[in-house]
Amino acid sequence: MTSTNAIAKSVTSELVPGEAGWLPRPPAQAAHIIRDDAEAITVAERLKPLFSAEAAERDRERRLPFEEVDLFSQSGLWGITIPRAYGGAEVSQVTLAKVFATLAAGDPSLTQIAQNSFEIIDVIRQTASEEQKRELFGAVLAGQRLGNAFSEFGGKNVEAFETKLVDAGNDFVVSGRKFYSTGALFAHLVPIVAIDEAGHVVVAIADRGAKGLEVVNDWSAFGQRTTSSGTVILNAVSIPASRVLPAHIVYENQSAVGPQSQLIHAAIDAGIARGAIEATIDLVRNHARPWIDSGADRAADDPYTIAAIGDLKIRLHAAEALLDRAGRHLDETIADVNEETIGKAKIAVAEAKVLTTEVALAAANKLFELAGTRSTLGIHNLDRFWRDARTHTLHDPVRWKFHAVGQYYLNGVQPPLHSWI
């Protein structure tokens, strides 16, 4: 097994100029190949302290984590869901959730950068030709990163895409403007969601340095500050026919693509909660003062503080249990895709998403109450936990998760087809 130190020595954080702005260099050497679930979890546990080491400083300065992203992809974790037939570990969804929760406890912004890559890997698995699978899976396993140019700022709703793909003879041309483009700035390949001339949703994968493709680092949200989830401008970008995927197959029919993406989001929220609780325990044990009426010598002996930590831990463990359960349902679905298994998986993920959202916000807020006024000082930057939780949990409305779960159990209504549940 490759050590984290060995992986760190192989990264190339240097960027090079190009027509599309500053571009990530291709990997200097092939990424490490993770072989199984156990190794994936071990590598994530080794990376977590490296991710957390300067997380507060990166957030405060909006300093983008180029070196850390290189380390992340070179570790092999970006390729762990690629099927074994193409060289990947094909880890379980349970393991995938554990990997993301572990890393997000260290730095949720950095961890979020990889999220969209896994959705595209599943789109490739289900819609690509054999030649496309060999090329694209091989690129990811070698250390190239898939980015994201999916969502758009305008439109009636999240599925009202205005980006168009037109046939230009030998190749295709895509034009439009994207936002929430997490990962695009760090990517070697940028998957673009567009509407083709037949009105179908497709994914067109462009080289990051393609003429007419520009990534603008204009992400100004108060949370997830270092994801660079800003704008991608597409001005007649040429796309080879071999890089266009009929993504509508998985978005218009029953598939695990949507709930798998949602599972990762829920795992990141669980990681935020875990990181906030770890920070709270450290502060209470080592820095906070007991309240005068407690009669205790240490804040950690305050009975109300003890009970509050117990409450947070119970809620976190409940959320993690539902996350594991959702992963198991997803694994069953991937093995046997049908309306019944998809429905169970989507509802299980929705239930997990509700609890991970609630505990992430609760833990990030309770931190200040238990650690005291000094925890609000700017030098600590502890509000990053709440800002990250509040920003990330807005990805899709939890209030509609309650509705979907209620409809499923009360009225036997299957959850919607779209990718947001």
Side-chain angles (χ1 to χ4, degrees):
M1 184 184 299
T2 302
S3 69
T4 306
N5 287 339
I7 295 169
K9 291 177 181 177
S10 72
V11 306
T12 52
S13 59
E14 186 177 0
L15 304 180
V16 295
E19 288 188 44
W22 289 90
L23 311 173
R25 283 188 185 276
Q29 63 185 57
H32 173 64
I33 301 293
I34 289 173
R35 297 300 179 186
D36 55 33
D37 292 62
E39 185 182 1
I41 292 171
T42 297
V43 171
E45 289 171 344
R46 289 176 176 174
L47 287 182
K48 179 198 167 188
L50 300 180
F51 283 12
S52 66
E54 297 183 5
E57 290 77 8
R58 285 194 298 269
D59 175 271
R60 181 185 293 111
E61 301 165 6
R62 287 191 182 268
R63 171 161 52 88
L64 297 182
F66 291 111
E67 292 185 8
E68 291 80 7
V69 170
D70 277 342
L71 180 61
F72 193 179
S73 57
Q74 285 295 106
S75 75
L77 287 175
W78 285 51
I80 56 175
T81 57
I82 290 174
R84 292 186 184 92
Y86 299 92
E90 198 174 345
V91 303
S92 70
Q93 297 297 300
V94 174
T95 293
L96 182 64
K98 287 180 178 177
V99 164
F100 268 84
T102 298
L103 296 174
D107 186 342
S109 291
L110 173 53
T111 304
Q112 174 70 22
I113 289 168
Q115 186 270 329
N116 293 288
S117 178
F118 287 84
E119 180 172 347
I120 291 301
I121 285 171
D122 211 35
V123 171
I124 295 167
R125 180 180 68 83
Q126 296 190 60
T127 70
S129 67
E130 283 301 309
E131 184 178 353
Q132 288 174 319
K133 289 177 184 178
R134 287 193 297 271
E135 179 200 354
L136 295 169
F137 287 156
V140 173
L141 290 172
Q144 292 193 52
R145 296 185 288 267
L146 294 169
N148 149 38
F150 302 170
S151 297
E152 298 177 9
F153 200 80
K156 179 180 179 181
N157 56 50
V158 293
E159 288 193 330
F161 298 114
E162 297 179 356
T163 300
K164 304 297 183 184
L165 182 86
V166 298
D167 192 338
N170 295 328
D171 295 330
F172 289 85
V173 171
V174 63
S175 297
R177 190 180 185 94
K178 298 290 186 175
F179 197 62
Y180 306 114
S181 302
T182 311
L185 186 71
F186 307 92
H188 301 99
L189 299 170
V190 181
I192 303 160
V193 173
I195 304 298
D196 69 10
E197 291 170 289
H200 292 137
V201 174
V202 297
V203 168
I205 301 177
D207 290 329
R208 172 70 172 78
K211 184 178 180 181
L213 190 157
E214 182 183 1
V215 179
V216 182
N217 182 23
D218 56 353
W219 179 244
S220 62
F222 61 63
Q224 292 198 293
R225 289 179 171 179
T226 60
T227 59
S228 186
S229 301
T231 300
V232 172
I233 300 169
L234 306 160
N235 184 16
V237 178
S238 181
I239 309 287
S242 62
R243 291 276 189 86
V244 178
L245 306 174
H248 59 91
I249 293 173
V250 294
Y251 293 127
E252 296 172 2
N253 299 285
Q254 297 287 0
S255 86
V257 168
Q260 178 188 261
S261 179
Q262 286 287 306
L263 183 77
I264 296 174
H265 283 299
I268 291 171
D269 293 334
I272 294 172
R274 189 186 305 174
I277 293 170
E278 288 173 354
T280 304
I281 289 173
D282 175 68
L283 287 163
V284 170
R285 283 176 177 169
N286 301 306
H287 302 286
R289 296 185 296 181
W291 182 240
I292 189 171
D293 295 329
S294 70
D297 293 327
R298 301 185 313 142
D301 294 326
D302 182 318
Y304 294 110
T305 298
I306 293 170
I309 292 295
D311 176 64
L312 288 175
K313 277 291 190 177
I314 290 167
R315 294 164 72 177
L316 174 61
H317 292 159
E320 290 173 336
L322 283 190
L323 202 59
D324 280 354
R325 171 176 171 263
R328 291 194 298 272
H329 276 300
L330 264 174
D331 287 326
E332 293 171 4
T333 298
I334 291 168
D336 181 19
V337 177
N338 59 63
E339 185 178 25
E340 181 180 357
T341 60
I342 287 288
K344 285 182 179 178
K346 285 194 168 193
I347 293 302
V349 173
E351 292 175 23
K353 189 74 160 52
V354 168
L355 289 199
T356 58
T357 293
E358 290 180 348
V359 74
L361 292 168
N365 185 54
K366 203 73 171 178
L367 184 159
F368 301 102
E369 178 186 336
L370 300 182
T373 306
R374 66 185 65 189
S375 65
T376 67
L377 297 177
I379 191 172
H380 303 306
N381 195 27
L382 292 171
D383 59 304
R384 71 184 188 278
F385 291 107
W386 185 87
R387 288 187 285 100
D388 283 341
R390 183 65 283 176
T391 301
H392 186 255
T393 55
L394 295 175
H395 181 271
D396 45 271
V398 167
R399 62 187 182 275
W400 278 94
K401 310 294 184 190
F402 288 101
H403 179 269
V405 172
Q407 282 282 62
Y408 181 81
Y409 289 116
L410 181 62
N411 296 319
V413 177
Q414 290 292 324
L417 279 175
H418 61 65
S419 295
W420 286 269
I421 187 169

